[in-house]
Amino acid sequence: MKIPSSIWTLLIGIVLTLASLWYGQNHGLLPAAATDEAVLVDGLFNAMMVISTGIFLLVEGILIYSAFKYRRRAGDNEDGPPVEGNVPLEILWTAIPAIIVIGISVYSFDVYNEIGGFDPHAIHQAPMNQESMAMPGTAMAATLSDTPPSTEPNLNQEKSDEAMQDPATAEVRNADQIPQLRNAPGVGSVAPTIGGTPDKAGQPAELQVNVTGLQYAWIFTYPETGITTGEMHVPIGREVQINMTANDVIHAFWVPEFRLKQDAIPGRQSEIRFTPQKAGDYVLICAELCGPYHGAMRASVVVETEEAFDKWVQEQLVASKETLNQAVAVNPADLSPNEFLAPYTKDMGIHPEILHQVHH
């Protein structure tokens, strides 16, 4: 019994649809989703994989079928029948891709909006100021003295003789100063951001982390505690806001498991908000070619429970105080705090002007 071509078309369509749906949800191409935002991005990616797989199987199937069925037979030297075109078919294969592209565009915009990426007023509502990006040196000085850091003195001394003699230390010391010096309060430059989700619009994030990228490292400062470190710790379930800038060239903050990426731009502040949901150790990768050692510019991001995060914060604070106490305990010449701490704070990136204000 000969099966009608319409039945074959229906069966092939069902098989292609099932195969596309299965592979689109089980491709295994993405790392683990570690944030709430990652789930939304994965949904978009999976939908695109379903559509792409279906189109690929359909096109390749037709090519293979046509190459086999209409191959040249032995002894057949005649030309094929002339084909002048098929208007309905041309309309169909133009309309279907157009509908697919529009659908993916609408879905992409919805996901971008849901993760907080669409806020046309953010660049005007969040002008950069001197307090928005706490300097690592300032934060360390505040930790040593248990007093808030001051940002009033003019710190435009990056190219002093001392800095020129020690360029590596100067680079770290000045890592977070460029935006403050280039932007007066209220007149700062804020890059496009990935802000809070629509249900959290206008609300401050539960945790703030200031991030500075420089060749070839990341520096993390927690303005609420003054902790400055080379690895980032964040708790599960708390919305985190990353305030970023760069010291030298453009870098890019990218943690594949978070599904978020944002440029860190010299002289500008950019932001990312996300809510971690899966504990683990992840790798922060610079995704912007920033120099010959770009490939080695990585840092550890630890997502942990609230209790483990609080314990880590306390350990960092205790370690900072113990370092100061040990230094003061071996001050045989009874030097002033500024004089005695100068060799230590030089390597930490703390300016003498900051120490002077902290101790007076």
Side-chain angles (χ1 to χ4, degrees), residues 64-94:
I64 294 173
Y65 172 78
S66 300
F68 177 79
K69 182 174 178 59
Y70 300 107
R71 70 189 185 280
R72 178 179 176 273
R73 265 76 172 185
D76 183 5
N77 297 318
E78 297 180 1
D79 293 334
V83 178
E84 297 182 359
N86 188 319
V87 174
L89 183 60
E90 292 176 2
I91 293 176
L92 182 66
W93 70 37
T94 302

mmCIF file of all heavy atoms in Angstrom, residues 64-94:
data_model
loop_
_atom_site.group_PDB
_atom_site.id
_atom_site.type_symbol
_atom_site.label_atom_id
_atom_site.label_comp_id
_atom_site.label_asym_id
_atom_site.label_seq_id
_atom_site.Cartn_x
_atom_site.Cartn_y
_atom_site.Cartn_z
ATOM 1 N N ILE A 64 19.794 16.463 1.409
ATOM 2 C CA ILE A 64 20.196 15.059 1.227
ATOM 3 C C ILE A 64 19.185 14.320 0.357
ATOM 4 O O ILE A 64 19.548 13.554 -0.556
ATOM 5 C CB ILE A 64 20.348 14.380 2.598
ATOM 6 C CG1 ILE A 64 21.527 15.016 3.369
ATOM 7 C CG2 ILE A 64 20.566 12.879 2.444
ATOM 8 C CD1 ILE A 64 21.661 14.541 4.798
ATOM 9 N N TYR A 65 17.896 14.554 0.636
ATOM 10 C CA TYR A 65 16.849 13.904 -0.163
ATOM 11 C C TYR A 65 16.947 14.327 -1.628
ATOM 12 O O TYR A 65 16.869 13.474 -2.538
ATOM 13 C CB TYR A 65 15.478 14.282 0.404
ATOM 14 C CG TYR A 65 14.319 13.827 -0.452
ATOM 15 C CD1 TYR A 65 13.892 12.507 -0.424
ATOM 16 C CD2 TYR A 65 13.671 14.735 -1.306
ATOM 17 C CE1 TYR A 65 12.828 12.081 -1.230
ATOM 18 C CE2 TYR A 65 12.611 14.319 -2.110
ATOM 19 C CZ TYR A 65 12.197 13.000 -2.068
ATOM 20 O OH TYR A 65 11.156 12.583 -2.865
ATOM 21 N N SER A 66 17.131 15.623 -1.872
ATOM 22 C CA SER A 66 17.200 16.115 -3.250
ATOM 23 C C SER A 66 18.431 15.593 -3.962
ATOM 24 O O SER A 66 18.382 15.215 -5.150
ATOM 25 C CB SER A 66 17.188 17.654 -3.262
ATOM 26 O OG SER A 66 16.007 18.151 -2.669
ATOM 27 N N ALA A 67 19.561 15.552 -3.265
ATOM 28 C CA ALA A 67 20.795 15.068 -3.891
ATOM 29 C C ALA A 67 20.678 13.602 -4.274
ATOM 30 O O ALA A 67 21.245 13.159 -5.292
ATOM 31 C CB ALA A 67 21.967 15.274 -2.940
ATOM 32 N N PHE A 68 19.937 12.837 -3.479
ATOM 33 C CA PHE A 68 19.782 11.417 -3.793
ATOM 34 C C PHE A 68 18.736 11.185 -4.874
ATOM 35 O O PHE A 68 18.961 10.470 -5.841
ATOM 36 C CB PHE A 68 19.405 10.651 -2.519
ATOM 37 C CG PHE A 68 19.148 9.200 -2.746
ATOM 38 C CD1 PHE A 68 20.196 8.294 -2.879
ATOM 39 C CD2 PHE A 68 17.840 8.718 -2.844
ATOM 40 C CE1 PHE A 68 19.952 6.945 -3.120
ATOM 41 C CE2 PHE A 68 17.589 7.370 -3.080
ATOM 42 C CZ PHE A 68 18.651 6.488 -3.209
ATOM 43 N N LYS A 69 17.564 11.819 -4.728
ATOM 44 C CA LYS A 69 16.451 11.565 -5.654
ATOM 45 C C LYS A 69 16.719 12.128 -7.041
ATOM 46 O O LYS A 69 16.368 11.509 -8.064
ATOM 47 C CB LYS A 69 15.159 12.152 -5.089
ATOM 48 C CG LYS A 69 13.936 11.874 -5.988
ATOM 49 C CD LYS A 69 12.664 12.328 -5.328
ATOM 50 C CE LYS A 69 11.455 12.092 -6.246
ATOM 51 N NZ LYS A 69 11.294 10.663 -6.624
ATOM 52 N N TYR A 70 17.325 13.293 -7.100
ATOM 53 C CA TYR A 70 17.495 13.947 -8.393
ATOM 54 C C TYR A 70 18.941 13.862 -8.903
ATOM 55 O O TYR A 70 19.375 14.690 -9.699
ATOM 56 C CB TYR A 70 17.064 15.414 -8.293
ATOM 57 C CG TYR A 70 15.608 15.556 -7.887
ATOM 58 C CD1 TYR A 70 15.271 15.983 -6.607
ATOM 59 C CD2 TYR A 70 14.590 15.240 -8.777
ATOM 60 C CE1 TYR A 70 13.944 16.097 -6.224
ATOM 61 C CE2 TYR A 70 13.256 15.353 -8.399
ATOM 62 C CZ TYR A 70 12.939 15.775 -7.117
ATOM 63 O OH TYR A 70 11.626 15.879 -6.744
ATOM 64 N N ARG A 71 19.643 12.861 -8.472
ATOM 65 C CA ARG A 71 21.005 12.671 -8.957
ATOM 66 C C ARG A 71 20.992 12.275 -10.428
ATOM 67 O O ARG A 71 19.978 11.738 -10.940
ATOM 68 C CB ARG A 71 21.726 11.606 -8.120
ATOM 69 C CG ARG A 71 21.197 10.200 -8.356
ATOM 70 C CD ARG A 71 21.792 9.215 -7.348
ATOM 71 N NE ARG A 71 21.389 7.837 -7.616
ATOM 72 C CZ ARG A 71 20.228 7.309 -7.276
ATOM 73 N NH1 ARG A 71 19.307 8.057 -6.664
ATOM 74 N NH2 ARG A 71 19.963 6.029 -7.546
ATOM 75 N N ARG A 72 22.072 12.483 -11.106
ATOM 76 C CA ARG A 72 22.168 12.124 -12.529
ATOM 77 C C ARG A 72 22.301 10.619 -12.666
ATOM 78 O O ARG A 72 23.175 10.000 -12.069
ATOM 79 C CB ARG A 72 23.362 12.836 -13.156
ATOM 80 C CG ARG A 72 23.595 12.518 -14.625
ATOM 81 C CD ARG A 72 24.785 13.310 -15.140
ATOM 82 N NE ARG A 72 25.095 12.949 -16.516
ATOM 83 C CZ ARG A 72 25.899 11.941 -16.867
ATOM 84 N NH1 ARG A 72 26.463 11.191 -15.929
ATOM 85 N NH2 ARG A 72 26.129 11.681 -18.138
ATOM 86 N N ARG A 73 21.404 10.039 -13.457
ATOM 87 C CA ARG A 73 21.467 8.609 -13.706
ATOM 88 C C ARG A 73 22.402 8.300 -14.880
ATOM 89 O O ARG A 73 22.669 9.154 -15.723
ATOM 90 C CB ARG A 73 20.076 8.066 -14.031
ATOM 91 C CG ARG A 73 19.310 7.480 -12.853
ATOM 92 C CD ARG A 73 18.735 8.536 -11.954
ATOM 93 N NE ARG A 73 17.850 7.950 -10.926
ATOM 94 C CZ ARG A 73 17.162 8.660 -10.078
ATOM 95 N NH1 ARG A 73 17.242 9.989 -10.100
ATOM 96 N NH2 ARG A 73 16.400 8.072 -9.170
ATOM 97 N N ALA A 74 22.848 7.086 -14.916
ATOM 98 C CA ALA A 74 23.718 6.642 -16.023
ATOM 99 C C ALA A 74 22.954 6.704 -17.345
ATOM 100 O O ALA A 74 21.811 6.233 -17.447
ATOM 101 C CB ALA A 74 24.207 5.218 -15.766
ATOM 102 N N GLY A 75 23.563 7.305 -18.334
ATOM 103 C CA GLY A 75 22.966 7.405 -19.649
ATOM 104 C C GLY A 75 22.007 8.564 -19.826
ATOM 105 O O GLY A 75 21.464 8.758 -20.921
ATOM 106 N N ASP A 76 21.765 9.349 -18.769
ATOM 107 C CA ASP A 76 20.850 10.500 -18.864
ATOM 108 C C ASP A 76 21.677 11.745 -19.164
ATOM 109 O O ASP A 76 22.332 12.296 -18.279
ATOM 110 C CB ASP A 76 20.088 10.654 -17.551
ATOM 111 C CG ASP A 76 19.073 11.798 -17.615
ATOM 112 O OD1 ASP A 76 18.918 12.395 -18.706
ATOM 113 O OD2 ASP A 76 18.440 12.084 -16.578
ATOM 114 N N ASN A 77 21.610 12.200 -20.423
ATOM 115 C CA ASN A 77 22.383 13.368 -20.838
ATOM 116 C C ASN A 77 21.499 14.556 -21.181
ATOM 117 O O ASN A 77 21.953 15.528 -21.791
ATOM 118 C CB ASN A 77 23.258 13.022 -22.043
ATOM 119 C CG ASN A 77 24.291 11.953 -21.702
ATOM 120 O OD1 ASN A 77 24.894 12.014 -20.626
ATOM 121 N ND2 ASN A 77 24.479 10.989 -22.600
ATOM 122 N N GLU A 78 20.218 14.490 -20.841
ATOM 123 C CA GLU A 78 19.296 15.563 -21.168
ATOM 124 C C GLU A 78 19.327 16.656 -20.096
ATOM 125 O O GLU A 78 19.694 16.412 -18.937
ATOM 126 C CB GLU A 78 17.873 15.006 -21.275
ATOM 127 C CG GLU A 78 17.693 14.000 -22.389
ATOM 128 C CD GLU A 78 16.265 13.477 -22.458
ATOM 129 O OE1 GLU A 78 15.444 13.940 -21.621
ATOM 130 O OE2 GLU A 78 15.981 12.646 -23.323
ATOM 131 N N ASP A 79 18.913 17.864 -20.523
ATOM 132 C CA ASP A 79 18.788 18.963 -19.569
ATOM 133 C C ASP A 79 17.536 18.771 -18.727
ATOM 134 O O ASP A 79 16.546 18.164 -19.167
ATOM 135 C CB ASP A 79 18.698 20.306 -20.294
ATOM 136 C CG ASP A 79 19.991 20.664 -21.008
ATOM 137 O OD1 ASP A 79 21.043 20.165 -20.544
ATOM 138 O OD2 ASP A 79 19.941 21.411 -21.996
ATOM 139 N N GLY A 80 17.572 19.341 -17.512
ATOM 140 C CA GLY A 80 16.403 19.285 -16.662
ATOM 141 C C GLY A 80 15.332 20.241 -17.139
ATOM 142 O O GLY A 80 15.599 21.155 -17.934
ATOM 143 N N PRO A 81 14.113 20.058 -16.673
ATOM 144 C CA PRO A 81 13.015 20.950 -17.078
ATOM 145 C C PRO A 81 13.260 22.362 -16.564
ATOM 146 O O PRO A 81 13.750 22.552 -15.449
ATOM 147 C CB PRO A 81 11.784 20.314 -16.422
ATOM 148 C CG PRO A 81 12.325 19.533 -15.268
ATOM 149 C CD PRO A 81 13.664 19.039 -15.708
ATOM 150 N N PRO A 82 12.929 23.375 -17.389
ATOM 151 C CA PRO A 82 13.134 24.773 -16.951
ATOM 152 C C PRO A 82 12.166 25.155 -15.822
ATOM 153 O O PRO A 82 10.978 24.828 -15.877
ATOM 154 C CB PRO A 82 12.866 25.582 -18.224
ATOM 155 C CG PRO A 82 11.939 24.731 -19.015
ATOM 156 C CD PRO A 82 12.330 23.298 -18.740
ATOM 157 N N VAL A 83 12.688 25.836 -14.814
ATOM 158 C CA VAL A 83 11.866 26.298 -13.686
ATOM 159 C C VAL A 83 11.978 27.808 -13.619
ATOM 160 O O VAL A 83 13.086 28.347 -13.450
ATOM 161 C CB VAL A 83 12.317 25.651 -12.363
ATOM 162 C CG1 VAL A 83 11.477 26.190 -11.217
ATOM 163 C CG2 VAL A 83 12.207 24.133 -12.449
ATOM 164 N N GLU A 84 10.870 28.505 -13.733
ATOM 165 C CA GLU A 84 10.894 29.970 -13.768
ATOM 166 C C GLU A 84 10.622 30.602 -12.400
ATOM 167 O O GLU A 84 10.772 31.790 -12.230
ATOM 168 C CB GLU A 84 9.871 30.478 -14.789
ATOM 169 C CG GLU A 84 10.181 30.057 -16.215
ATOM 170 C CD GLU A 84 9.179 30.623 -17.197
ATOM 171 O OE1 GLU A 84 8.239 31.318 -16.759
ATOM 172 O OE2 GLU A 84 9.326 30.381 -18.409
ATOM 173 N N GLY A 85 10.197 29.830 -11.437
ATOM 174 C CA GLY A 85 9.936 30.388 -10.118
ATOM 175 C C GLY A 85 8.612 29.922 -9.563
ATOM 176 O O GLY A 85 7.755 29.401 -10.279
ATOM 177 N N ASN A 86 8.451 30.148 -8.254
ATOM 178 C CA ASN A 86 7.225 29.766 -7.565
ATOM 179 C C ASN A 86 6.919 30.861 -6.544
ATOM 180 O O ASN A 86 7.532 30.899 -5.457
ATOM 181 C CB ASN A 86 7.403 28.408 -6.884
ATOM 182 C CG ASN A 86 6.106 27.865 -6.311
ATOM 183 O OD1 ASN A 86 5.313 28.599 -5.725
ATOM 184 N ND2 ASN A 86 5.891 26.565 -6.489
ATOM 185 N N VAL A 87 6.025 31.758 -6.911
ATOM 186 C CA VAL A 87 5.749 32.923 -6.063
ATOM 187 C C VAL A 87 5.245 32.528 -4.675
ATOM 188 O O VAL A 87 5.732 33.043 -3.659
ATOM 189 C CB VAL A 87 4.746 33.873 -6.760
ATOM 190 C CG1 VAL A 87 4.350 35.010 -5.814
ATOM 191 C CG2 VAL A 87 5.354 34.423 -8.032
ATOM 192 N N PRO A 88 4.273 31.625 -4.538
ATOM 193 C CA PRO A 88 3.826 31.247 -3.180
ATOM 194 C C PRO A 88 4.959 30.692 -2.330
ATOM 195 O O PRO A 88 5.055 30.993 -1.128
ATOM 196 C CB PRO A 88 2.754 30.187 -3.449
ATOM 197 C CG PRO A 88 2.240 30.512 -4.813
ATOM 198 C CD PRO A 88 3.445 30.973 -5.573
ATOM 199 N N LEU A 89 5.835 29.867 -2.941
ATOM 200 C CA LEU A 89 6.954 29.301 -2.188
ATOM 201 C C LEU A 89 7.924 30.390 -1.743
ATOM 202 O O LEU A 89 8.427 30.381 -0.609
ATOM 203 C CB LEU A 89 7.676 28.264 -3.033
ATOM 204 C CG LEU A 89 8.841 27.531 -2.354
ATOM 205 C CD1 LEU A 89 8.358 26.791 -1.125
ATOM 206 C CD2 LEU A 89 9.516 26.588 -3.333
ATOM 207 N N GLU A 90 8.197 31.358 -2.623
ATOM 208 C CA GLU A 90 9.113 32.446 -2.273
ATOM 209 C C GLU A 90 8.536 33.309 -1.150
ATOM 210 O O GLU A 90 9.265 33.764 -0.259
ATOM 211 C CB GLU A 90 9.401 33.290 -3.514
ATOM 212 C CG GLU A 90 10.212 32.540 -4.570
ATOM 213 C CD GLU A 90 10.395 33.358 -5.833
ATOM 214 O OE1 GLU A 90 9.917 34.513 -5.862
ATOM 215 O OE2 GLU A 90 11.010 32.851 -6.787
ATOM 216 N N ILE A 91 7.215 33.539 -1.195
ATOM 217 C CA ILE A 91 6.578 34.292 -0.107
ATOM 218 C C ILE A 91 6.683 33.515 1.211
ATOM 219 O O ILE A 91 6.976 34.083 2.267
ATOM 220 C CB ILE A 91 5.101 34.578 -0.453
ATOM 221 C CG1 ILE A 91 5.010 35.545 -1.642
ATOM 222 C CG2 ILE A 91 4.368 35.148 0.761
ATOM 223 C CD1 ILE A 91 3.587 35.803 -2.113
ATOM 224 N N LEU A 92 6.495 32.211 1.140
ATOM 225 C CA LEU A 92 6.540 31.379 2.343
ATOM 226 C C LEU A 92 7.916 31.394 2.977
ATOM 227 O O LEU A 92 8.045 31.599 4.187
ATOM 228 C CB LEU A 92 6.123 29.947 1.979
ATOM 229 C CG LEU A 92 6.068 28.964 3.155
ATOM 230 C CD1 LEU A 92 4.972 29.374 4.122
ATOM 231 C CD2 LEU A 92 5.840 27.540 2.645
ATOM 232 N N TRP A 93 8.987 31.180 2.156
ATOM 233 C CA TRP A 93 10.311 31.105 2.760
ATOM 234 C C TRP A 93 10.883 32.493 3.105
ATOM 235 O O TRP A 93 11.959 32.595 3.688
ATOM 236 C CB TRP A 93 11.275 30.283 1.906
ATOM 237 C CG TRP A 93 11.737 30.866 0.593
ATOM 238 C CD1 TRP A 93 12.028 32.153 0.295
ATOM 239 C CD2 TRP A 93 12.013 30.120 -0.599
ATOM 240 N NE1 TRP A 93 12.446 32.286 -0.995
ATOM 241 C CE2 TRP A 93 12.454 31.043 -1.575
ATOM 242 C CE3 TRP A 93 11.942 28.784 -0.950
ATOM 243 C CZ2 TRP A 93 12.807 30.662 -2.862
ATOM 244 C CZ3 TRP A 93 12.310 28.406 -2.223
ATOM 245 C CH2 TRP A 93 12.724 29.340 -3.176
ATOM 246 N N THR A 94 10.169 33.535 2.740
ATOM 247 C CA THR A 94 10.523 34.871 3.223
ATOM 248 C C THR A 94 9.754 35.213 4.502
ATOM 249 O O THR A 94 10.307 35.795 5.443
ATOM 250 C CB THR A 94 10.220 35.933 2.154
ATOM 251 O OG1 THR A 94 10.946 35.635 0.964
ATOM 252 C CG2 THR A 94 10.594 37.321 2.648
#
